[in-house]
Amino acid sequence: MSGSNPVPQPPTEPRGAARAASKPKWLVPVIAGGCAVVLAAGGTGGYLWWNHSRLTEASGECSVAYEKAVKARKKLTEYLKSDALKAAVTVKDSEVRDAKTVGTLASTVKTASKTKTDIPGCPADGLKDIKAVTAWLDKTATAYAKTVGEVKGKAEAVNASKLDKTVADATRILNDSKGRVKDDKVRAALENAIKSKDGKAISDAVKAVNDSIKAKSDADAKAKAEKEKQAADNAAQTSGNDSGSAGDTTGGYTGYTGGGYTQSQGGGYTYMPQQPTGNGGGYTPTPQPQPQQPSQGGGNGGGSTGGDDGYENMCFAYPTDGSPAIQVPCS
């Protein structure tokens, strides 16, 4: 088609050496410089990102260590104020088998109570500082946990020693109470409590045994007193019956109280025995025949010899019991 305008075609890409010759020489250095700038910028940004990541990770570890240390300190504080520890601390030397456990616990609690460590917070920056604080917090948390464990261990030692003594005492009571309780069921309950090694159960069972021992002792004492009273009443009744049936005939002999001489009208003496006394019966002497009295002297109870004729007067007394006459003064 001659005379018409043809459609423009894209330029043909040169090939081979012609293509290389067709590129401008300044393009290569410009491209190389651009790559260097891009690489430099990428290295700086990567380092910053890596450093930030390390700080973030270290800060997280520090926060965990901080919380751990705070919880360990709180746990120690709470245990030092717990009822369980207070109960162990109040145990006396006489209540445990090994008294050393009581002193050791008291010393450990005293030391732990003085522990007042301030727990610092984690630094905001500085990887080295953050790591140092994290390590310190880990050690502090471990120390608090160890202290709690030591105090608990000493308290448990006291409680164990107390239980040992409780079991030993309860066993002795169980053995000694055989045949001494009012109800033997309480001994069986005590034996089971000892096997369970439950301190409160043992204590309750021991009290029940002691109460049963006292109940039997009181009952035995009352029965003995009633028996003795009955025996005394029976003895008194028997004695009264014997005395009433015997009457006066069972009275004792009151004995002979002696006698004496009485002066007769004639100057002589007559022996008069004293009559025995007593209303319970006794000995009564049999009257004896009276001897003939001499006519000399004119007396009733005795005789005399001699007179104004120069002879010596002799007076005699004749006892009424028939004994031989005895010489007595005539005055």
Side-chain angles (χ1 to χ4, degrees):
M1 294 179 34
S2 59
S4 62
N5 295 327
V7 177
Q9 297 294 324
T12 304
E13 181 79 18
R15 297 174 183 238
R19 180 181 178 184
S22 66
K23 294 183 182 291
K25 295 182 180 180
W26 54 267
L27 183 60
V28 175
V30 170
I31 292 175
C35 291
V37 171
V38 172
L39 290 175
T44 302
Y47 172 78
L48 292 176
W49 177 85
W50 175 78
N51 189 54
H52 176 73
S53 178
R54 291 185 65 191
L55 288 174
T56 301
E57 183 180 359
S59 296
E61 293 176 352
C62 186
S63 296
V64 172
Y66 176 81
E67 293 297 329
K68 185 178 179 181
V70 170
K71 289 181 179 179
R73 182 178 63 180
K74 182 180 179 182
K75 189 174 183 180
L76 174 61
T77 302
E78 291 176 349
Y79 184 71
L80 291 176
K81 296 179 180 179
S82 66
D83 293 338
L85 181 61
K86 289 179 180 179
V89 170
T90 56
V91 173
K92 300 178 181 179
D93 295 352
S94 58
E95 297 176 334
V96 295
R97 174 169 282 186
D98 184 4
K100 292 180 181 179
T101 58
V102 175
T104 302
L105 173 62
S107 177
T108 303
V109 170
K110 183 177 181 181
T111 302
S113 300
K114 293 180 179 179
T115 303
K116 296 180 180 180
T117 302
D118 294 331
I119 300 177
C122 297
D125 54 9
L127 183 61
K128 185 177 181 180
D129 293 339
I130 293 175
K131 286 184 174 294
V133 172
T134 301
W136 185 90
L137 291 173
D138 286 337
K139 290 181 179 179
T140 300
T142 301
Y144 275 122
K146 182 179 179 180
T147 302
V148 172
E150 288 179 352
V151 177
K152 278 188 174 181
K154 300 302 185 294
E156 290 173 356
V158 170
N159 292 331
S161 184
K162 181 180 179 181
L163 181 59
D164 289 342
K165 188 174 188 304
T166 299
V167 170
D169 292 345
T171 301
R172 176 179 54 79
I173 292 174
L174 177 64
N175 296 333
D176 293 345
S177 63
K178 187 175 182 180
R180 297 174 54 202
V181 293
K182 189 173 183 180
D183 183 1
D184 204 57
K185 291 181 180 179
V186 295
R187 295 186 67 254
L190 176 57
E191 185 176 7
N192 292 332
I194 292 173
K195 292 179 180 179
S196 70
K197 292 189 176 181
D198 185 333
K200 187 177 185 307
I202 294 174
S203 178
D204 293 342
V206 166
K207 183 179 183 303
V209 169
N210 288 333
D211 290 345
S212 187
I213 291 175
K214 185 177 184 303
K216 186 176 187 303
S217 177
D218 292 345
D220 291 346
K222 183 178 179 181
K224 181 179 180 182
E226 292 177 352
K227 184 177 181 180
E228 291 177 349
K229 182 177 182 300
Q230 184 64 40
D233 292 343
N234 293 339
Q237 184 177 2
T238 302
S239 176
N241 292 338
D242 292 344
S243 176
S245 62
D248 291 341
T249 59
T250 60
Y253 171 67
T254 58
Y256 180 75
T257 58
Y261 293 95
T262 58
Q263 188 174 8
S264 64
Q265 294 179 356
Y269 288 84
T270 303
Y271 181 80
M272 299 294 295
Q274 180 70 31
Q275 298 296 326
T277 60
N279 48 4
Y283 170 77
T284 301
T286 303
Q288 299 293 326
Q290 296 294 328
Q292 295 292 329
Q293 299 293 336
S295 60
Q296 294 90 345
N300 286 335
S304 63
T305 60
D308 295 335
D309 56 357
Y311 292 95
E312 182 181 1
N313 291 331
M314 301 294 292
C315 297
F316 295 89
Y318 296 90
T320 59
D321 59 355
S323 299
I326 59 175
Q327 183 181 353
V328 296
C330 294
S331 59

